[in-house]
Amino acid sequence: MYRSLFLRLSLIGAASLSGAVAADVHVVEEIVARVNGEIITRGDLDHKRLELEAEFRQQGLTGPKLQQAVRQQAADALRDQIDQLLLVQKAKDLNLSVDTDVTKRIAEMQVQSKITDPDKFHDFIHEQTGMLFEDWKQQMKNMLLTQRVIGQEISSRISIPEADKKKYYEEHKNDFMRQEQVFLQQILISTEGKTPEQVAAAEKKAKDLVVRARKGEKFGDLAVTNSDDLETARNGGELPAFKRGQLIKQIEDIVFTQNKGYVSDPIHVPAGILIVRIEERYAAGLATYEQVEGEISERLSMPQMQPKVRTYLTKLREDAFLEIRKGYVDSGAAPGKDTSWKEIEQLKPQTVTKEEVARHKKRKKLLFIPIPFTGGTVKTAAATTKPASSTPASSTPAASTPAASTPASSTPAAAPPNQ
């Protein structure tokens, strides 16, 4: 939102201000880079620097060591911003969605913070991160989108032999000790502010839903269409993992004694009537190889990942419309890529988008189109900016264009090229 606002302001200013009026204009935000129609501002880089400083302070760094660590990481701040923009844009090209994952993460944080009121939770996020809730949510979404692209385009193409994974499991069993935990889905039928008759109707509805779920209807579909908890309803009622002590005893006594797939009877809670389904349950102790195979694959593929990711991002840069203002450095720049800054009024429309850039790069042949004539020197029009005189007149016979289609007087003879 802020980026588009600053861009609009800069465009309006460039178009309407001049002379003494322009002298009174103060720069609100400086655009540092343009990436396929989106922008990175100096404020983005400053915010990243503050995040790095806070992170290093939490690690115990102070004084010169803190400043040195921040300086080293900040040198790659623009690179990291460009990386993320390119990957998020690629996710859109691939029609990837992480809305479900975002909802899960938010629900998990609400459980951990023990704040159920949405407005209070938004305030909590602002206090913890210094960001508005929607901005924080978008940042999380962008992070998950970049991970999804890397997973689909790179990780999925790295194969780790089964023998290597099992060997790693045997040698690192201590890493896979798990506490008892359960994964749940829920349907909440609200009774807040309802009359006794409405509460009775809610109880009947809850009982009917339990019967339908136990007969085989998909619990997630029932949650989407019936749950009054909109945050989890959009996600099929899915909740994050719970350990013992994180749930109220009434629910905990049920979910930690039943097996996967169990659908509870209606449970009365302060907010209404709750129905839960056990999606997965893990006992305390060593996780099985099957449960952690994906995690092991990820660990073993990491050494191969970094160079492949960097190569992939370089290719995205090569195909992108990318400009960087003088004085700023992209430490991940593609070799030979011209990213010099051009003022907005100097930009050519055909090079504004990455699609147009890609089409422009594919033009390798000149197309010459004959123009009707009645005599004298043959006149040709080129589809590119190359002068028509580069093709001899004799190469295009006059008979190639029916003379009857254009009156002789409508097209004057072409002047010689050297005039």
Side-chain angles (χ1 to χ4, degrees):
M1 178 179 72
Y2 297 115
R3 293 181 184 175
S4 59
L5 172 62
F6 290 137
L7 182 57
R8 288 197 300 271
L9 289 174
S10 63
L11 289 171
I12 293 171
S16 62
L17 298 179
S18 62
V21 177
D24 294 333
V25 175
H26 299 283
V27 176
V28 176
E29 180 65 291
E30 181 181 38
I31 298 175
V32 170
R34 301 188 186 105
V35 186
N36 292 328
E38 297 188 63
I39 64 172
I40 297 170
T41 68
R42 185 171 61 186
D44 294 328
L45 302 184
D46 291 342
H47 182 74
K48 182 62 178 178
R49 189 181 184 91
L50 291 175
E51 286 183 348
L52 289 170
E53 186 171 338
E55 182 179 338
F56 286 128
R57 285 186 187 279
Q58 289 180 351
Q59 296 175 12
L61 294 182
T62 58
K65 289 185 178 180
L66 170 65
Q67 297 306 316
Q68 181 181 2
V70 171
R71 186 165 52 251
Q72 289 175 346
Q73 290 293 319
D76 293 326
L78 180 56
R79 180 200 68 181
D80 295 342
Q81 291 282 331
I82 294 173
D83 287 350
Q84 185 179 74
L85 263 183
L86 290 171
L87 290 169
V88 170
Q89 291 167 357
K90 186 64 177 180
K92 294 177 182 177
D93 294 342
L94 297 172
N95 294 318
L96 300 180
S97 175
V98 294
D99 292 342
T100 298
D101 298 315
V102 170
T103 301
K104 281 184 180 179
R105 296 290 182 92
I106 292 175
E108 185 174 353
M109 288 198 66
Q110 282 183 301
V111 169
Q112 293 173 350
S113 66
K114 299 180 180 180
I115 301 174
T116 57
D117 181 84
D119 291 334
K120 291 181 179 178
F121 179 69
H122 293 181
D123 293 339
F124 169 76
I125 291 297
H126 182 62
E127 291 171 3
Q128 294 296 312
T129 66
M131 301 174 66
L132 296 175
F133 175 78
E134 290 302 324
D135 293 338
W136 170 80
K137 183 178 178 181
Q138 184 62 49
Q139 186 181 73
M140 181 194 299
K141 182 176 181 179
N142 289 345
M143 179 190 69
L144 293 174
L145 283 171
T146 62
Q147 292 174 355
R148 184 69 62 83
V149 172
I150 291 173
Q152 177 173 310
E153 298 292 291
I154 302 171
S155 300
S156 62
R157 300 174 188 179
I158 298 176
S159 178
I160 305 297
E162 189 76 8
D164 291 352
K165 291 188 287 186
K166 288 186 174 180
K167 179 183 178 183
Y168 186 92
Y169 175 76
E170 293 296 330
E171 294 175 351
H172 298 81
K173 285 186 175 180
N174 288 339
D175 293 350
F176 305 116
M177 298 300 293
R178 299 287 188 260
Q179 293 182 344
E180 187 177 16
Q181 58 182 347
V182 63
F183 292 82
L184 303 174
Q185 291 173 280
Q186 72 164 10
I187 296 174
L188 176 67
I189 309 300
S190 176
T191 58
E192 291 183 334
K194 293 187 177 180
T195 65
E197 293 78 10
Q198 291 172 327
V199 171
E203 290 175 342
K204 183 179 183 305
K205 179 180 179 180
K207 290 177 181 178
D208 291 341
L209 289 171
V210 169
V211 172
R212 291 169 64 184
R214 288 176 176 174
K215 283 185 176 180
E217 287 193 50
K218 290 185 177 180
F219 194 90
D221 293 343
L222 294 174
V224 169
T225 55
N226 294 280
S227 182
D228 293 326
D229 183 353
L230 299 182
E231 281 293 328
T232 58
R234 289 195 295 265
N235 192 34
E238 290 190 12
L239 297 170
F242 292 98
K243 299 173 184 177
R244 282 191 180 272
Q246 291 183 318
L247 295 166
I248 61 175
K249 189 175 186 303
Q250 184 182 8
I251 298 175
E252 193 168 278
D253 289 345
I254 297 172
V255 300
F256 281 102
T257 58
Q258 298 294 336
N259 297 321
K260 176 181 178 180
Y262 175 80
V263 177
S264 74
D265 291 327
I267 305 168
H268 286 266
V269 295
I273 304 169
L274 192 67
I275 307 165
V276 296
R277 176 182 178 274
I278 300 175
E279 189 173 10
E280 190 61 82
R281 181 178 162 222
Y282 297 130
L286 177 65
T288 65
Y289 170 76
E290 290 72 23
Q291 291 172 345
V292 296
E293 181 184 2
E295 183 179 342
I296 293 173
S297 295
E298 184 177 341
R299 290 189 185 189
L300 293 177
S301 65
M302 284 305 294
Q304 303 179 44
M305 282 285 293
Q306 188 170 354
K308 289 182 181 293
V309 169
R310 198 71 258 158
T311 299
Y312 184 75
L313 287 165
T314 299
K315 180 64 170 60
L316 291 181
R317 277 169 167 77
E318 291 172 349
D319 296 336
F321 173 78
L322 179 60
E323 290 185 343
I324 299 172
R325 188 179 292 276
K326 186 177 180 181
Y328 295 89
V329 178
D330 172 16
S331 57
K337 172 80 172 181
D338 180 13
T339 60
S340 57
W341 183 267
K342 303 174 185 65
E343 294 304 327
I344 292 177
E345 63 271 16
Q346 295 176 346
L347 295 178
K348 297 181 180 179
Q350 66 267 28
T351 61
V352 169
T353 65
K354 65 177 180 180
E355 291 82 4
E356 290 293 339
V357 171
R359 285 200 290 270
H360 180 72
K361 290 171 66 176
K362 292 179 181 178
R363 294 177 188 149
K364 295 182 179 179
K365 296 182 179 180
L366 296 178
L367 175 63
F368 286 90
I369 306 172
I371 293 180
F373 77 105
T374 57
T377 305
V378 175
K379 184 177 181 180
T380 60
T384 68
T385 57
K386 193 170 182 178
S389 60
S390 62
T391 303
S394 60
S395 65
T396 309
S400 64
T401 304
S405 64
T406 306
S409 59
S410 64
T411 307
N418 59 359
Q419 284 187 359

